[in-house]
Amino acid sequence: MSISQLFPEVGQRPLQNLYLNHNLRQIARQQQRPFVYANFVTSLDGRIAIPHPTKPGLKVPENIANDRDWRLFQELAAQADLIISSGRYLRDWADGRAQEILRVDDPAYADLRAWREGEGLRPQPDMAIISGSLDFPIPPVLTANGRRVIVFTTANPDPTRAAEIEAEAGELYVTGDSSVSGEKMVQKMAELGYKAVYSAAGPKVLHLLLTDGVLDRLYLTQVGRLLGGSPFSSILEGDLLQTAVDVQLHTLYHDPLALDGLGQLLLAYDIVE
Ligand SMILES: NC(=O)c1ccc[n+]([C@@H]2O[C@H](COP(=O)([O-])OP(=O)(O)OC[C@H]3O[C@@H](n4cnc5c(N)ncnc54)[C@H](OP(=O)(O)O)[C@@H]3O)[C@@H](O)[C@H]2O)c1
């Protein structure tokens, strides 16, 4: 027992199965549209990504990433039948700096593979990619063993890229004019039969999910570390929201063992409709 559940106050809990016990698939079965949830690990000063030390673009700061948060990330991913990522993720993959999101082939997560099997799920959830540019290849492993890669894009996609994506076994849907609409995208996900949808993407995707009121729950791991610096990404980027999005605490845990005893807070918020 290592985690203290502070809200609702319960006491000590083990790390393993902490988020599996949130039973997201059960919640998803009880609502009409897909249950959509997102997750971030952040520094105390709100950094989720900082410049890559040697390459263009940003990456998760190494001094906040940690194996205990990663275990919880995996438990969230394991409960999904569809994982959302972005064009940036596939460009990172092509550049050798991204890998599978759910690591069911890692012996450390063999229990999650078995859990998915028990739920009647394939080892890997399908993948949704949000992109306006369509500027990425689809790695063959993502479409192996019947896994679907579904790309959501904006109006008038480049016909050459669209044909290439379809030739790489991706499915392409236009769900927005100049920007992918969260509402149209989730509507399409529902039509395709998805129930539990996990966004592992970044701050712009969170913005489109919040703007259209299609996010149900936000998971945040807040590491007790201040980073400073700019540029950086926070959890949310885009225009001022026309209506502020209210959230209500669902659970709060203190994990004192993370980062060699530095500790972190594990927060989950329900989005108030
Ligand atoms: N600390 C954490 O927990 C955490 C979590 C997630 C991500 N990150 C980090 O945050 C950084 C940013 O991640 P990200 O690039 O996945 O985040 P993002 O800002 O959510 O997504 C950016 C990409 O998604 C596409 N996109 C987003 N909104 C769109 C819209 N409305 N319409 C059309 N396309 C849209 C665009 O792809 P195209 O350019 O292809 O058009 C855009 O480049 C990365 O460094 C990542 O590692 C950190």
Side-chain angles (χ1 to χ4, degrees), residues 83-101 127-131 133-143 147-152 161 165 168-172 200-201:
I83 293 182
I84 300 176
S85 196
S86 71
R88 187 272 318 158
Y89 168 69
L90 292 188
R91 285 191 287 280
D92 280 1
W93 188 305
D95 190 29
R97 38 174 160 155
Q99 307 158 53
E100 288 282 9
I101 291 174
M127 177 72 73
I129 297 294
I130 299 177
S131 172
S133 73
L134 299 181
D135 180 18
F136 50 77
I138 298 179
V141 65
L142 287 188
T143 50
R147 189 172 2 167
R148 294 170 79 176
V149 175
I150 299 160
V151 180
F152 293 98
R161 279 303 301 135
I165 284 172
E168 289 165 336
E171 300 162 52
L172 189 66

Side-chain angles (χ1 to χ4, degrees), residues 19-202:
Y19 281 172
L20 264 194
N21 289 336
H22 281 204
N23 294 320
L24 302 181
R25 297 190 63 75
Q26 197 177 318
I27 300 172
R29 280 192 287 270
Q30 288 160 3
Q31 69 177 43
Q32 281 292 79
R33 61 169 183 77
F35 180 81
V36 183
Y37 55 108
N39 173 60
F40 293 92
V41 58
T42 171
S43 68
L44 187 53
D45 50 343
R47 271 104 174 122
I48 66 140
I50 60 170
H52 193 285
T54 57
K55 294 183 173 184
L58 303 178
K59 68 180 294 251
V60 178
E62 274 175 20
N63 52 6
I64 64 166
N66 66 86
D67 56 352
R68 293 174 69 82
D69 169 66
W70 190 235
R71 166 74 207 182
L72 296 173
F73 177 101
Q74 293 294 314
E75 290 190 5
L76 293 175
Q79 294 175 75
D81 37 41
L82 183 67
I83 293 182
I84 300 176
S85 196
S86 71
R88 187 272 318 158
Y89 168 69
L90 292 188
R91 285 191 287 280
D92 280 1
W93 188 305
D95 190 29
R97 38 174 160 155
Q99 307 158 53
E100 288 282 9
I101 291 174
L102 178 59
R103 300 291 176 79
V104 282
D105 292 330
D106 182 337
Y109 304 117
D111 62 313
L112 297 180
R113 190 187 183 102
W115 184 87
R116 284 184 63 84
E117 207 178 319
E119 289 281 313
L121 295 166
R122 282 201 305 264
Q124 284 289 353
D126 289 344
M127 177 72 73
I129 297 294
I130 299 177
S131 172
S133 73
L134 299 181
D135 180 18
F136 50 77
I138 298 179
V141 65
L142 287 188
T143 50
N145 303 319
R147 189 172 2 167
R148 294 170 79 176
V149 175
I150 299 160
V151 180
F152 293 98
T153 193
T154 45
N156 307 314
D158 175 342
T160 310
R161 279 303 301 135
E164 282 167 2
I165 284 172
E166 279 162 359
E168 289 165 336
E171 300 162 52
L172 189 66
Y173 295 103
V174 171
T175 48
D177 298 327
S178 58
S179 171
V180 167
S181 142
E183 190 183 359
K184 288 184 184 153
M185 178 181 77
V186 172
Q187 171 64 35
K188 180 50 79 179
M189 289 170 175
E191 285 167 27
L192 294 171
Y194 295 108
K195 296 294 293 170
V197 178
Y198 178 41
S199 177

